[in-house]
Amino acid sequence: MKILVTGATGNVGRMVVDELLARGATDVRALTVNPAAAGLPGEVEVVRGFLGRLETVPAALAGVDAMYLAPHPATVFEVCRLAAEAGVRRIVDMAGAKGGTWQVIEDGVEASGVAYTHLEPGEFMANSTLWAAQIRAGDVVRDAYGDVVNAPIAQEDIAAVAAHVLLCGASGAFTGSADASDAFVGASIELTGPEALSRREMVAAIGRALGRDLTYVELTGDAAAEHFSGVMGSYGQWYLDGLAQLAQHPQAAVSTVADLLGRPAMTYGEWAGRHADLFR
Ligand SMILES: NC(=O)c1ccc[n+]([C@@H]2O[C@H](COP(=O)([O-])OP(=O)(O)OC[C@H]3O[C@@H](n4cnc5c(N)ncnc54)[C@H](OP(=O)(O)O)[C@@H]3O)[C@@H](O)[C@H]2O)c1
């Protein structure tokens, strides 16, 4: 079974490649803008292209059975239509909570008629790099909504689930057998980390990973708006609005990663330890 990984040097896509190989996949193709610079493993077939450049997509899809679809909203409908034309039998996409920013990805996939599995991660632990510049500069983190709670997920776990679903499809759904993996066809899988944490707790965990005592300073109102627009530009207010929503509807952890993979999902503390250099 030939599996195409798109966005193959992306944060998640690159890990999907590694997870597929680690699980024994032998026919993996990777789509990347610059094969020479991609540094992909030698056993991977590398094809030059990008989901946003539709003229490069048909060659990447030729002979492909299943595809990991990186989130590129601008061309998702056309890419998935091309996948259907090329005979792709399964798309595993990374989107997000239904009705949110990434809904268009699921819409594009479903419009194609190809069998699909939607992965719906919540916030990524890696989004905590939002605080990296402040932590590198000192021991104070200025932020907002310090007590708001969610359950961020490690990108490593998203990639592991993507590979698991793609390879389970190989043993069942693609061959038409009544395998348990057929349960993934048409499924939407919410993915979170193993615990819900406040932003204050996340900052403290990064401090522990660094062996430092970080002080969380809560900003509100105009001070918060000014701070976030300084850090995130035009996305600052969008991000703050998201936090306000989260205050109303805290995100609880779900157990899907552990249920599917048979091992615990990565905790925030583990993630911070593994990626402490991001904050040094
Ligand atoms: N629930 C959520 O919060 C959620 C859900 C989905 C996505 N997201 C966000 O979406 C992003 C997607 O993550 P990811 O790890 O798959 O991707 P990523 O790290 O943003 O990388 C996407 C890859 O696509 C390729 N690419 C080439 N040209 C590009 C261009 N002009 N614009 C965009 N991509 C281009 C690149 O790979 P090559 O060089 O190999 O071609 C790039 O590494 C993340 O930043 C994440 O925060 C969030």
Side-chain angles (χ1 to χ4, degrees):
M1 183 183 75
K2 189 182 286 299
I3 299 177
L4 173 68
V5 178
T6 62
T9 65
N11 290 314
V12 176
R14 183 66 182 79
M15 293 179 194
V16 174
V17 170
D18 287 343
E19 288 285 346
L20 286 168
L21 296 178
R23 287 155 196 270
T26 54
D27 195 359
V28 177
R29 179 182 287 167
L31 178 67
T32 184
V33 168
N34 185 351
L40 287 155
E43 59 266 57
V44 172
E45 177 194 1
V46 183
V47 172
R48 184 187 299 274
F50 166 49
L51 295 178
R53 277 196 240 131
L54 289 172
E55 70 279 11
T56 66
V57 173
L61 289 168
V64 165
D65 298 293
M67 162 165 77
Y68 165 74
L69 181 68
H72 189 70
T75 56
V76 65
F77 278 83
E78 293 91 335
V79 165
C80 293
R81 184 179 51 74
L82 290 168
E85 281 174 18
V88 172
R89 283 180 283 164
R90 172 77 74 89
I91 298 174
V92 176
D93 63 83
M94 179 172 75
K98 292 232 185 297
T101 312
W102 305 99
Q103 178 64 47
V104 64
I105 300 292
E106 297 192 357
D107 294 344
V109 170
E110 291 184 25
S112 73
V114 178
Y116 62 83
T117 305
H118 299 315
L119 304 183
E120 298 182 342
E123 184 165 15
F124 297 179
M125 290 177 180
N127 290 357
S128 299
T129 51
L130 178 69
W131 300 315
Q134 295 191 74
I135 293 172
R136 280 190 221 112
D139 289 337
V140 174
V141 174
R142 294 160 66 79
D143 191 59
Y145 293 95
D147 296 322
V148 158
V149 162
N150 71 350
I153 182 164
Q155 287 160 326
E156 287 88 340
D157 284 339
I158 301 172
V161 170
H164 175 77
V165 171
L166 283 161
L167 292 173
C168 280
S171 67
F174 298 162
T175 56
S177 80
D179 189 276
S181 61
D182 281 3
F184 293 134
V185 174
S188 295
I189 306 177
E190 183 186 1
L191 297 172
T192 72
E195 58 196 337
L197 294 169
S198 69
R199 295 170 74 77
R200 247 178 244 285
E201 289 171 325
M202 291 181 215
V203 168
I206 295 169
R208 281 194 295 279
L210 295 171
R212 288 164 50 191
D213 199 5
L214 301 177
T215 302
Y216 186 94
V217 174
E218 170 127 345
L219 303 174
T220 56
D222 289 347
E226 197 175 317
H227 172 76
F228 277 88
S229 68
V231 175
M232 302 176 80
S234 56
Y235 286 104
Q237 191 56 50
W238 170 81
Y239 191 77
L240 273 176
D241 291 345
L243 291 177
Q245 285 282 323
L246 204 53
Q248 301 299 318
H249 308 284
Q251 183 195 32
V254 295
S255 62
T256 41
V257 170
D259 296 344
L260 290 169
L261 301 180
R263 53 118 175 123
M266 193 184 296
T267 65
Y268 191 87
E270 285 173 76
W271 177 86
R274 197 184 277 210
H275 298 285
D277 282 350
L278 293 171
F279 303 95
R280 287 199 177 102

